[in-house]
Amino acid sequence: MNRRETLIRPEIRMLSAYHVAESAGLVKLDAMENPYSWPDALVAEWLDTLRTAALNRYPDPQARALKDALRTAMAVPDDYDLLLGNGSDELIQLLMLAVAQPGRTVLAPEPGFVMYRLIAIATGLRYLGVPLRVDDFELDRDAMLAAIKQHSPALTFLAYPNNPTGNLFDETTVRAIIAASPGLVVVDEAYLPFAERSLIGLMAEHDNLLVMRTLSKLGLAGLRVGLLIGRRDWLGEFDKLRLPYNLNVLSQASASFALRHQTLLDEQAATIRAAREELTASLRQLPGLTVYPSQANFILFRTPRGRATTTFTALKRQGVLIKNLDGSGVHLDDCLRVTVGTAEENSRFLAALGTALAE
Ligand SMILES: *Cc1c(COP(=O)(O)O)cnc(C)c1O
């Protein structure tokens, strides 16, 4: 065995790095980004605030100003603390590092957010994906409860709404999962700006529940700001693993500034929600597609059998990048996922898709 094979853990050697598609020159509808920028006057005001940022100093290790702004913006009850991460991806990593021990399990429904599996494996945990119901992507209550009983997962992740399916799981089933879990349950509300409901209210009844959110989907993906909401005693443990300056000076200042202009971000989210409904209706007009209802800023749809990759490629050839999920996991055969863009981007996507399906 060579040195790399001896030194690098086998499960790491078997992983593939998180792949981000090249998007230069394309209409970018693959990554659930907010398509809108800010008015020029607001950009000028933002740049003014950055003028006073001290790049020679370390950032505030507690990011207090940003935490206060987030608490207000997200209406976090005073009983709970916030832990900030360099995106929620980093928070997922902190949670897993804190519980990682040989033989321990992380559980999540499948199809789900790929980082749960990737980070579980990277931190030496066992990952168990439990298939959602095939027809409506709802939680399979019996299968989830059986998996919890059998494997006693240290962590269970429920994305609400779920990525890549876009639906909100049944609340009664979520309650049953939390109640049956010997470990922590993390409800990942990354898509809250586009959803009708939050489960933060359940934290009052369940001391093993944490809620995770992010500014990424709201329109600040470039800043990398995620937050974990939970009881002080739990968050204190995870905070010990956080690298001291995980949120840089520019991200702290920029996110605090953006939250002072939250109405703009909220208006953009409302526009995206309305566009999602229009796009869903338009997709349903196209022949041969199964279009799943979404409470997020993306839509999952299924092409006729064996047509996902050709459709994806034909879209790309016409300058539109979406996400090809065909073959990427349970129940995702023939599936594509499109992020809701601007009205113009959505029209271009629909026109290109019409052409692609007619080929
Ligand atoms: C996009 C996404 C996130 C966000 O990750 P960040 O690191 O905060 O950008 C978290 N969870 C789910 C389910 C997502 O789809």
Side-chain angles (χ1 to χ4, degrees):
M1 283 218 281
N2 68 27
R3 206 178 304 208
R4 183 170 58 84
E5 283 172 356
T6 330
L7 275 177
I8 305 296
R9 288 186 277 140
E11 63 269 31
I12 305 297
R13 278 187 280 125
M14 277 162 58
L15 281 179
S16 324
Y18 185 78
H19 173 71
V20 178
E22 176 57 49
S23 60
L26 299 173
V27 174
K28 193 174 184 315
L29 301 177
D30 65 328
M32 282 77 98
E33 291 146 326
N34 173 333
Y36 299 105
S37 50
W38 295 350
D40 289 346
L42 196 62
V43 172
E45 210 184 307
W46 163 58
L47 291 174
D48 269 344
T49 66
L50 294 187
R51 242 180 270 285
T52 58
L55 298 187
N56 55 320
R57 301 290 178 192
Y58 283 107
D60 174 1
Q62 299 302 334
R64 278 162 299 189
L66 176 54
K67 239 185 227 176
D68 290 346
L70 283 165
R71 182 180 285 283
T72 308
M74 302 227 175
V76 177
D78 287 337
D79 318 350
Y80 306 121
D81 245 2
L82 297 183
L83 181 68
L84 304 195
N86 195 266
S88 21
D89 290 348
E90 189 189 36
L91 295 169
I92 299 168
Q93 191 181 49
L94 289 181
L95 286 159
M96 293 196 187
L97 281 172
V99 303
Q101 258 181 359
R104 289 233 176 126
T105 301
V106 171
L107 186 143
E110 292 271 343
F113 186 43
V114 293
M115 295 312 290
Y116 306 148
R117 187 184 67 86
L118 209 64
I119 300 174
I121 292 168
T123 52
L125 286 155
R126 224 161 52 91
Y127 175 80
L128 184 70
V130 176
L132 293 169
R133 295 197 316 218
V134 65
D135 48 334
D136 58 0
F137 295 124
E138 184 54 75
L139 289 165
D140 183 334
R141 183 186 164 111
D142 292 345
M144 287 294 286
L145 294 179
I148 289 165
K149 199 164 175 197
Q150 192 185 342
H151 301 277
S152 296
L155 284 169
T156 297
F157 283 86
L158 299 173
Y160 187 90
N162 188 42
N163 172 15
T165 59
N167 55 315
L168 290 170
F169 296 135
D170 175 66
E171 188 176 324
T172 316
T173 308
V174 173
R175 283 171 187 270
I177 288 168
I178 301 167
S181 292
L184 281 167
V185 177
V186 182
V187 169
D188 179 351
E189 298 190 332
Y191 298 97
L192 179 68
F194 315 102
E196 283 164 6
R197 287 190 298 281
S198 161
L199 292 180
I200 195 166
L202 297 187
M203 285 209 308
E205 300 156 44
H206 300 278
D207 61 7
N208 61 334
L209 176 63
L210 299 166
V211 171
M212 192 167 65
R213 294 183 182 168
T214 176
L215 294 182
S216 294
K217 311 300 158 50
L218 185 61
L220 302 167
L223 294 181
R224 310 303 298 127
V225 177
L227 59 150
L228 192 63
I229 305 168
R231 294 173 191 237
R232 220 146 264 150
D233 47 355
W234 280 121
L235 296 199
E237 299 296 338
F238 307 128
D239 197 38
K240 297 175 194 171
L241 289 165
R242 186 178 60 84
L243 297 177
Y245 306 110
N246 60 332
L247 265 85
N248 71 68
V249 167
L250 297 178
S251 285
Q252 290 191 33
S254 301
S256 296
F257 173 83
L259 292 174
R260 290 199 287 279
H261 300 274
Q262 200 191 348
T263 43
L264 174 70
L265 297 174
D266 290 344
E267 282 163 19
Q268 292 177 344
T271 306
I272 293 166
R273 288 195 301 269
R276 173 190 70 206
E277 296 311 307
E278 282 179 33
L279 189 54
T280 302
S282 304
L283 282 169
R284 289 198 168 130
Q285 302 286 312
L286 292 172
L289 301 182
T290 306
V291 184
Y292 295 94
S294 171
Q295 289 272 311
N297 64 342
F298 59 84
I299 300 165
L300 181 77
F301 61 100
R302 203 182 291 273
T303 65
R305 179 149 309 164
R307 291 293 302 276
T309 298
T310 50
T311 305
F312 171 80
T313 310
L315 283 169
K316 208 167 159 186
R317 206 183 325 113
Q318 295 174 83
V320 180
L321 179 67
I322 64 169
K323 180 80 178 174
N324 184 5
L325 295 167
D326 183 46
S328 71
V330 252
H331 306 332
L332 290 176
D333 283 353
D334 309 309
C335 280
L336 299 172
R337 185 191 66 197
V338 63
T339 303
V340 179
T342 63
E344 193 196 331
E345 289 171 333
N346 298 338
S347 303
R348 271 195 65 182
F349 159 69
L350 283 167
L353 182 61
T355 306
L357 290 171
E359 274 176 14

